Amino acid sequence: MRIASSYAVLIALAAAPCSAQDGALVTDRPDFTESALSVLPGVVQVEAGYTWTRNDGVDVHSLGEVLLRIGVLPRAEVRVGLNSFAWSDGPSNASGMEDASLGVKVELTPGSNQGYQLLRPSIALLVSTTLPTGAEEFGETELQPAATLAMSWDLSERLGLGANAGVGAPTLDGDRFGQFSGSLALGASVTEHLGAYGEYYVFAPPGPDAEAAGFLNGGLTWLLGEDFQLDLRAGFGVHGDDADAFFFGGGLATRF
């Protein structure tokens, strides 16, 4: 299981519901759900972190989780995932880089800011693939293409709702299979600088001939300035082959 993967760089629902076009810092971490907003043209946003995962008695550490988001058009960004250096502690120890990734995010429709209308969410399309650049123990030898539709709603001045629906054709140990992923996240602004979120997400299936795996995840964000944010998150498996999994992590986001 790769909870800390190139696909798991996450929506800023924990921040106050707002638009990146208004100058607010909107990140795709620390949750799984991708945001429906791109960074502004000419802006480079860097998001990074660390995750510890325990599953079936094996501890996996992932340090880096680096995602570069580069604004190229008013509603589009290029995404470069440098990913992580990973190491495992268990029956057999291993270490090495995970696969890098490359993708784009394009905003399709802006949401309604009048009366918080649920029928008019912000919608964006993300298309990406991993690149076979990682170590044998933590990467794949073939491309891992995926596409995700990201949606978000402003429920009030302090509450935001996000959802993702994605499809992909990943490989695991050389076996390619079709995969659906979905998520639902609720975020709240606790104060002007502190946010919190909770979410559920699922992979169906997480691997060939595997049972759909679902997870619950929650965390906090702390905005230290207009261009810098810290975060913490923790989660666990709730059903499927990864029901015994637990993970914890933290990170940061900044922009230039």
Side-chain angles (χ1 to χ4, degrees), residues 6 20 24 51 120 125 159 184 202 217 229:
S6 60
T51 299
R120 293 186 57 187
L125 176 65
L159 289 176
L184 185 66
V202 62
N217 174 34
Q229 176 180 284

Side-chain angles (χ1 to χ4, degrees), residues 15-16 158 189-195 222-223:
R158 289 189 172 274
S189 297
V190 181
T191 69
E192 182 180 356
H193 300 285
L194 181 66
W222 185 19
L223 191 64

